[in-house]
Amino acid sequence: MTEYATQVANDLLKIGAVKFSPEAPFTWASGIKSPIYTDNRMTIGFPEVRQNIFKGLAELITTHYGDVEIVGGVATAGIPHAAWVAETLNKPMIYVRSKPKDHGAGRQTEGAEVAGKKVVLIDDLISTGGSVLGAVEAVRKAGADVLGVVSIFSYELPAGVANFAQAGLTFQSLTTYSQLIDAAIARGDLNASQLATLKAWQQSPADWQA
């Protein structure tokens, strides 16, 4: 998996999916201020990049959740990758809406029937884990046994680790914040001051923001 981790980290930097701005932080949808922003939705526009990703995700699932029966994508960024992984593994697929439909049967989980099945969910990235764990809860309510979550990227935030532990669930990421920073250093993308800022933020975003 090290090969995929390094390749995908470099791919994300090469296509501009990751942007660093320690001097003028980004504000995430959650309100968190951050010196880094990752937009993995860009990856679907690059055939070679997305192939590295779905092959790596399939290998992650085979290695850590080998008895999976259904592959699920978390709306919206996880859905295309889940489709490619489900095809690669020859497994049924679902996708999970951010909230139940307000019409028809009011379903939140679409696709294969999940009751009594072992499911792995795919999302594009893990920060605090809030959105993907909401999807996990929806799939569990539908009767599935959620084995775990896999993602393209993880920020390795302490809050994310704690939230997954509280949910009694594991997650695996194709590449991580640490690996991404190492790749950016190797490319000469960061100076010493920027690197210090990025490391301080990752250890405690709340303290850094304050």
Side-chain angles (χ1 to χ4, degrees):
M1 290 309 303
T2 302
E3 178 183 347
Y4 280 117
T6 302
Q7 181 63 61
V8 171
N10 278 293
D11 284 346
L12 296 179
L13 292 165
K14 180 177 66 177
I15 67 173
V18 177
K19 294 178 173 60
F20 300 107
S21 183
E23 297 81 8
F26 302 98
T27 301
W28 292 355
S30 62
I32 292 175
K33 290 193 178 298
S34 168
I36 178 175
Y37 179 72
T38 307
D39 182 5
N40 287 335
R41 291 172 175 81
M42 292 179 62
T43 60
I44 65 174
F46 298 84
E48 184 176 351
V49 173
R50 72 188 187 215
Q51 287 168 18
N52 287 332
I53 288 171
F54 76 71
K55 289 174 183 177
L57 292 173
E59 187 173 316
L60 267 183
I61 291 173
T62 301
T63 301
H64 296 279
Y65 310 110
D67 53 348
V68 62
E69 295 175 287
I70 296 175
V71 174
V74 178
T76 55
I79 295 175
H81 300 288
W84 290 313
V85 170
E87 182 69 15
T88 300
L89 299 179
N90 193 31
K91 299 291 184 182
M93 179 189 158
I94 61 169
Y95 70 86
V96 189
R97 299 173 181 274
S98 58
K99 60 182 180 180
K101 287 195 297 187
D102 58 5
H103 59 281
R107 291 170 61 93
Q108 188 168 356
T109 300
E110 303 284 4
E113 177 56 57
V114 300
K117 301 293 185 178
K118 296 176 181 177
V119 177
V120 171
L121 293 184
I122 294 175
D123 206 355
D124 66 322
L125 61 81
I126 303 293
S127 53
T128 62
S131 59
V132 71
L133 288 174
V136 167
E137 184 60 25
V139 177
R140 283 174 168 171
K141 285 182 178 178
D145 174 14
V146 180
L147 301 179
V149 171
V150 297
S151 68
I152 300 170
F153 174 71
S154 167
Y155 280 103
E156 298 178 297
L157 296 181
V161 174
N163 288 337
F164 268 88
Q166 186 175 7
L169 200 65
T170 62
F171 71 92
Q172 309 292 330
S173 295
L174 198 51
T175 194
T176 66
Y177 188 84
S178 300
Q179 291 162 327
L180 187 74
I181 296 301
D182 287 344
I185 292 171
R187 286 166 47 94
D189 292 344
L190 300 170
N191 61 41
S193 176
Q194 292 171 325
L195 179 60
T197 296
L198 287 158
K199 288 185 174 181
W201 173 83
Q202 193 270 336
Q203 291 171 2
S204 180
D207 290 341
W208 183 84
Q209 184 168 322

